[in-house]
Amino acid sequence: MLKAIKARLQQGYRTTSYPDGPPPELPRHFAGLPVIDSSKCLPACRQCIPACPTQALDIDTRTRQVSLDTGRCLFCRECQRVCPAGAIQFSRDFRLASSSRERLVVTDSSPLPAVELDGAIVRLLGRSLKLRQVSAGGCNACEADTNVLGTVGWDLGRFGIQFVASPRHADGLLITGPVTENTRLALEKTYQAVPSPKIVIAVGACAISGGPYLDHPEAHNGAASLVPVDVYVPGCPPHPLTILHALLATIGRLPRGL
């Protein structure tokens, strides 16, 4: 016991202070919210279009406006690498979640994505949020970055947010994976077992759009094809900080301006 106490004192306080303090340091290779400057786009270039593995990019042939769908994006930065003019860059901004699928499409003048849920739902779930996590055919990357929020470094439980074993004890679902045909029925039954009112959070490109499995005959292009989605969290996988920001926004626990 004395050794455990000594070790605890030596380690100090390990839990991030976010959102009351600064966010933890992000890894050097982190790719956040895309920044697009269509004025740099070279006529007839379009090198970024075939470079994207999930068809997340589009260029309006009339206006030359570049748009990037972060709901499809794998954040591989291949478009940034092949663009000779630097029209597409990935920032360090981890705030990627939105309650609107349309607002995940980034252009030159796009507003910052935001989670804006019905006030009644926020008031109901703001004190605590119990989620049943459903892995609908995921590769376990999004699942791992979600599960890490339960460690001492993040301590998700201090916000009253917990993952529960039974959907009947949950306020909603957190879904990862492209929803394969083999997981379709399980997801539908799990959703039906959650008492109303309930929310659904789709985490990762697969759960939002199908990701690299888009239009695969054994996948359903994400959770929204089967259940109504309230919050979208882009990434492949999203960083734990991106997921935490989305969950706190969902229950209205973010200080003004964050």
Side-chain angles (χ1 to χ4, degrees):
M1 175 62 75
L2 290 176
K3 287 183 178 179
I5 295 175
K6 182 180 178 181
R8 181 68 183 87
L9 292 174
Q10 289 176 337
Q11 291 175 2
Y13 190 75
R14 294 294 185 91
T15 305
T16 175
S17 60
Y18 182 83
D20 296 323
E25 184 177 353
L26 292 165
R28 179 179 56 83
H29 57 274
F30 174 79
L33 187 69
V35 177
I36 296 175
D37 186 351
S38 296
S39 65
K40 295 181 178 180
C41 193
L42 301 177
C45 174
R46 301 181 67 86
Q47 291 188 46
C48 58
I49 302 297
C52 181
T54 56
Q55 298 86 53
L57 279 159
D58 188 34
I59 301 177
D60 189 301
T61 54
R62 183 178 59 85
T63 64
R64 303 297 304 165
Q65 173 67 65
V66 180
S67 61
L68 193 159
D69 185 351
T70 60
R72 289 190 176 194
C73 182
L74 304 183
F75 292 81
C76 65
R77 287 182 283 201
E78 189 64 14
C79 57
Q80 176 178 303
R81 187 187 69 82
V82 302
C83 179
I88 305 171
Q89 301 290 325
F90 285 83
S91 73
R92 306 279 293 173
D93 197 331
F94 57 86
R95 297 170 295 175
L96 299 168
S98 176
S99 50
S100 167
R101 179 67 180 88
E102 290 73 22
R103 286 186 65 175
L104 295 183
V105 179
V106 177
T107 62
D108 297 55
S109 56
S110 297
L112 186 71
V115 176
E116 299 170 336
L117 298 180
D118 180 81
I121 292 291
V122 174
R123 287 191 294 272
L124 182 64
L125 304 178
R127 296 178 63 88
S128 67
L129 180 63
K130 313 300 182 186
L131 295 171
R132 177 67 171 95
Q133 201 273 325
V134 178
S135 179
C139 69
N140 207 41
C142 292
E143 292 86 343
D145 276 3
T146 298
N147 292 340
V148 79
L149 293 176
T151 64
V152 67
W154 300 93
D155 191 16
L156 186 64
R158 64 195 161 115
F159 302 109
I161 306 174
Q162 295 177 325
F163 294 103
V164 296
S166 171
R168 300 194 184 279
H169 299 160
D171 300 307
L173 301 180
L174 186 148
I175 303 172
T176 55
V179 189
T180 61
E181 176 58 24
N182 285 341
T183 61
R184 175 187 58 80
L185 183 59
L187 173 59
E188 290 176 335
K189 288 189 173 182
T190 304
Y191 176 79
Q192 292 167 4
V194 178
S196 297
K198 50 194 168 187
I199 64 169
V200 174
I201 303 171
V203 173
C206 287
I208 296 174
S209 65
Y213 310 103
L214 181 69
D215 293 333
H216 190 283
E218 292 297 321
H220 289 275
N221 290 349
S225 63
L226 295 173
V227 297
V229 175
D230 301 286
V231 179
Y232 303 88
V233 188
C236 186
H239 190 277
L241 185 56
T242 298
I243 302 172
L244 176 61
H245 178 270
L247 294 177
L248 294 178
T250 299
I251 61 174
R253 292 289 296 274
L254 285 175
R256 188 179 297 275
L258 287 184

